[in-house]
Amino acid sequence: MTDLTFAHTEAERLPAKDREAILDNPGFGDHFTDHMVSIAWTRDAGWHDAQVMPYGPIPMDPASSVLHYGQEIFEGLKAYRRADGSIVTFRPEENASRLNDSAARLALPELPVELFVEAVKRLVAVDAAWVPSGADQSLYVRPFMIADESFLGVRAAQRARFLVIASPSGPYFTGGIKPVSIWLSQDFSRAGHGGTGAAKCGGNYAASLLPQNLAAENGCQQVLFTDANSPDTIDELGGMNLFLVRDDKTLVTPALNGNILPGITRKSLIQLAKDRGYAVEERAVTVTEWREGVANGSITEAFACGTAAVITPIGQLKSPDFTIDFGDRAPGELTLSLREELTGIQYGTHEDRHGWLTEIPAVGAAV
Ligand SMILES: *Cc1c(COP(=O)(O)O)cnc(C)c1O
């Protein structure tokens, strides 16, 4: 346990009517709550100076190491408002331990799991009025850590900062649960053996933006990345893990081979599928297998999953040479039903039988 105490500086809150107008139609990642959390770290003093403070710009030296060498990691989780008004988050300690795995890879300091969860809870509690109550709405919480030492030189920084900000959000993809088209990236990879593919770091996303643009030029919403050395072997999308569904009650998903991000949604869906008696194969999965399986009818559904977009049915995989198309079979039945169950647990309409939810205490909620 950490004995850090949080200082609190109350923000000038956005007037309720302006906040309500935002919550009516929040979009995704466009608006931020009144407060943020900041915790400082130095190699000598460790974690210190924990604060809940007004949301706003952070002072930063132009030589700050994160700006030059990209030493940054992040997390993403959501707070959900249930019908009785209470607020919960989903498996925050999983995000905390994944942040520490990312920290180890990026030579950033580890943060005690309890401190991570405490920081998230405090921010959501103080800005509870920002947790929307509409269908498919939530408060998206973004913890992140940056190296913040002023020097030009390539070594791990001896100063860092952990911050948490939060953004009220509606669905990640607009237009309901529509199947998306994804573009097979053949010229660009997001990860290679020994690289940072399993770490949630900003640099991975920077490298995914060019292929993402190519996907958009080809009428696709997302990119499918394959193994750098074996272009037929599937890794994941730019920010979501991938599942194929077979007609023999089997789910197939790429194994955590060090190149892909260990998604918490992925892990939760594997559990829910097993609970239903499905077999789940975590192993190497190829585009050829997908193509042949759809052609002969043994692969019936494909979906992508992640916290932001939950479960997104895949309608098409496109490449310059071929298109794999589920036609009017997408979204598939299991895709929709797993989505319903997972969101049902999060919003409190289904039993939380695995103890995945953490309740946010109702303090500071009144405005
Ligand atoms: C965050 C992320 C995911 C999804 O992880 P969840 O914990 O399910 O949100 C998948 N792939 C990448 C590259 C990611 O950054």
Side-chain angles (χ1 to χ4, degrees), residues 179-220:
V180 295
S181 296
I182 59 178
W183 180 248
L184 182 60
S185 177
Q186 292 174 315
D187 297 328
F188 302 101
S189 303
R190 72 174 283 285
H193 178 72
T196 56
K200 209 167 174 74
C201 61
N204 288 345
Y205 278 76
S208 76
L209 300 177
L210 171 61
Q212 179 68 37
N213 284 348
L214 297 179
E217 282 167 21
N218 286 282
C220 294

Side-chain angles (χ1 to χ4, degrees), residues 8-13 35 52-54 126:
H8 181 102
T9 310
E10 180 64 18
E12 192 181 320
R13 292 173 187 256
H35 295 85
V52 176
M53 60 201 286
V126 75

Side-chain angles (χ1 to χ4, degrees), residues 98 190 200 205 236-241 261 263-266 305-307:
R98 187 172 64 190
R190 72 174 283 285
K200 209 167 174 74
Y205 278 76
E236 60 168 319
L237 308 195
M240 281 188 276
N241 297 117
L261 203 284
I264 296 161
T265 317
R266 174 188 181 279
C305 68
T307 298

